[in-house]
Amino acid sequence: VYLNQVSDSLLLYSPSEESVTYYIYDADEQEVCNGNVTFSEQGEASIYVGTLGDGIYTIYIVIDNDVYGGDFQL
């Protein structure tokens, strides 16, 4: 996951064309958004985060029964 500050998007990369669910939480551990993304044939997907205010956030990505997480700052 990479933050593209120009487009206010999180860029995700995966080696397969799969759909995943994501959850984004703020610093107070409140869920601020969630959704599903599907990776393109090139293995790319993006999540628009331009509606979120400045701060530190945690994203969780659920693939099958596995959960991956990481922090990012806006």
Side-chain angles (χ1 to χ4, degrees), residues 27 53-57 72-74:
D54 291 342
I56 297 174
Y57 295 89
F72 64 96
Q73 183 173 353
L74 296 177

Side-chain angles (χ1 to χ4, degrees), residues 1 3 7-8 12 14 18-19 23 29 36-38 46 49-50 53 57 66 70-71 73-74:
V1 176
L3 177 62
S7 66
D8 291 330
L12 292 77
S14 173
E18 59 188 329
S19 293
Y23 302 91
E29 299 181 6
N36 296 308
V37 294
T38 301
S46 66
V49 293
Y57 295 89
D66 296 324
D71 296 329
Q73 183 173 353
L74 296 177

Side-chain angles (χ1 to χ4, degrees), residues 8-59:
D8 291 330
S9 297
L10 292 176
L11 305 177
L12 292 77
Y13 297 94
S14 173
S16 63
E17 296 177 50
E18 59 188 329
S19 293
V20 299
T21 303
Y22 68 88
Y23 302 91
I24 298 178
Y25 292 84
D26 64 15
D28 296 324
E29 299 181 6
Q30 299 295 312
E31 184 178 306
V32 293
C33 67
N34 64 61
N36 296 308
V37 294
T38 301
F39 291 93
S40 69
E41 289 181 11
Q42 293 77 28
E44 300 174 337
S46 66
I47 301 169
Y48 181 72
V49 293
T51 58
L52 301 177
D54 291 342
I56 297 174
Y57 295 89
T58 302
I59 185 170

